[in-house]
Amino acid sequence: MTQPFYVSPEQLMKDRADFARKGIARGRSVVVVSCRDGIALVAENPSPSLHKIGEIYDKIAFAAVGKYNEFESLRQAGVRYADVRGYSYDREDVTGRGLASVYAQSLGAVFTAEQKPFEVELTVAEVGSDVDHDHLFRLTFDGSIADERRFVVMGGAAERVAEAVIDGWTSEASFGEAIRLAARALREDRTEPLTFEVAVLDRDSETARGSRRAFRRVFPDELAGILDGDDALGAPGRA
């Protein structure tokens, strides 16, 4: 009678973690930056339709790197969770911390119970009344969660990009300055042209636009002006 193949739990968890890290390292980087005007989300993304950045609820956004089908399923689940909770209780009961906790439970369950872990890393961003009240929750493939400050960088070149961001970050930056900082960091040491996906969580959305929805995308024409030095965001387009 043959002996069943045995792998120690420690080795199994290590192999799963190594597998997930390699998958994430192949992804293009994402930068999420808290600034004076709100939170800017900038991703290197050549696809005009497969978004790495998305809206979850009124003041909450989602950014991810890794396998698209996996993080898109998580984004959709987050939207459903937020809609049901906001409808069942109150819109103020939908928070970034609550959403991040749900994601952490889901990622942790997949990592420990399923044969293959999710090859994803996520950020849940919630804009507050000022920089000190912004929340940036970073979640890794195993369900670990961290409450970050100032900015988050995810993806293959995260360490290099983070070094460039920290050198130029300031709490008084406008959206234009924050987006240019993130774009410069993503471009550093790169020779090929990059295509960016950009969105913002506007701190003053209710005052400026009369809407409790803080999320809006920055589309290519407007982004070109910002990267050329224009600090002002144009009139809101479609979200």
Side-chain angles (χ1 to χ4, degrees), residues 133-153:
H133 290 88
D134 288 343
H135 293 291
L136 304 175
F137 297 100
R138 180 176 185 164
L139 296 107
T140 53
F141 54 86
D142 60 354
S144 298
I145 181 171
D147 187 359
E148 303 284 358
R149 295 296 177 186
R150 301 188 293 175
F151 65 88
V152 175
V153 180

Side-chain angles (χ1 to χ4, degrees), residues 66-115:
K67 292 196 71 173
Y68 175 80
N69 65 309
E70 293 176 348
F71 68 67
E72 177 63 10
S73 68
L74 290 169
R75 186 194 67 80
Q76 292 178 9
V79 171
R80 289 193 294 270
Y81 161 83
D83 282 346
V84 170
R85 188 168 183 83
Y87 179 78
S88 302
Y89 300 98
D90 187 89
R91 299 185 78 93
E92 298 300 321
D93 291 327
V94 182
T95 64
R97 183 177 63 179
L99 181 64
S101 297
V102 171
Y103 279 146
Q105 293 172 25
S106 298
L107 288 167
V110 170
F111 182 74
T112 56
E114 300 296 329
Q115 187 172 7

Side-chain angles (χ1 to χ4, degrees), residues 1-237:
M1 182 176 178
T2 59
Q3 291 287 338
F5 183 71
Y6 174 77
V7 178
S8 69
E10 293 85 356
Q11 186 62 46
L12 183 61
M13 293 298 106
K14 181 180 182 300
D15 289 345
R16 287 179 177 175
D18 290 344
F19 174 83
R21 288 193 188 98
K22 289 177 182 177
I24 294 167
R26 290 191 291 268
R28 295 179 172 89
S29 296
V30 174
V31 180
V32 182
V33 184
S34 179
C35 63
R36 182 191 68 212
D37 293 341
I39 298 175
L41 305 97
V42 182
E44 181 189 346
N45 186 4
S47 173
S49 56
L50 301 179
H51 297 305
K52 300 167 71 171
I53 297 168
E55 180 182 22
I56 297 292
Y57 210 61
D58 293 342
K59 298 181 182 296
I60 302 173
F62 169 100
V65 294
K67 292 196 71 173
Y68 175 80
N69 65 309
E70 293 176 348
F71 68 67
E72 177 63 10
S73 68
L74 290 169
R75 186 194 67 80
Q76 292 178 9
V79 171
R80 289 193 294 270
Y81 161 83
D83 282 346
V84 170
R85 188 168 183 83
Y87 179 78
S88 302
Y89 300 98
D90 187 89
R91 299 185 78 93
E92 298 300 321
D93 291 327
V94 182
T95 64
R97 183 177 63 179
L99 181 64
S101 297
V102 171
Y103 279 146
Q105 293 172 25
S106 298
L107 288 167
V110 170
F111 182 74
T112 56
E114 300 296 329
Q115 187 172 7
K116 187 192 87 65
F118 276 8
E119 299 169 62
V120 298
E121 193 168 350
L122 314 176
T123 293
V124 175
E126 181 179 17
V127 68
S129 57
D130 54 44
V131 171
D132 291 335
H133 290 88
D134 288 343
H135 293 291
L136 304 175
F137 297 100
R138 180 176 185 164
L139 296 107
T140 53
F141 54 86
D142 60 354
S144 298
I145 181 171
D147 187 359
E148 303 284 358
R149 295 296 177 186
R150 301 188 293 175
F151 65 88
V152 175
V153 180
M154 306 179 294
E159 290 185 7
R160 171 184 61 78
V161 175
E163 289 176 0
V165 173
I166 197 170
D167 287 341
W169 184 88
T170 170
S171 62
E172 293 303 312
S174 65
F175 273 141
E177 291 167 334
I179 291 169
R180 287 193 294 274
L181 172 63
R184 285 197 305 270
L186 291 168
R187 283 173 170 160
E188 192 165 287
D189 300 329
R190 305 283 294 276
T191 56
E192 71 276 18
L194 303 184
T195 303
F196 297 114
E197 176 188 357
V198 178
V200 298
L201 287 172
D202 188 346
R203 200 180 305 285
D204 299 321
S205 58
E206 290 192 48
T207 301
R209 303 189 310 179
S211 171
R212 68 174 70 203
R213 292 178 63 189
F215 182 89
R216 60 164 296 203
R217 294 194 181 277
V218 179
F219 291 96
D221 290 346
E222 186 179 4
L223 178 59
I226 291 172
L227 295 179
D228 286 339
D230 184 0
D231 277 348
L233 290 182

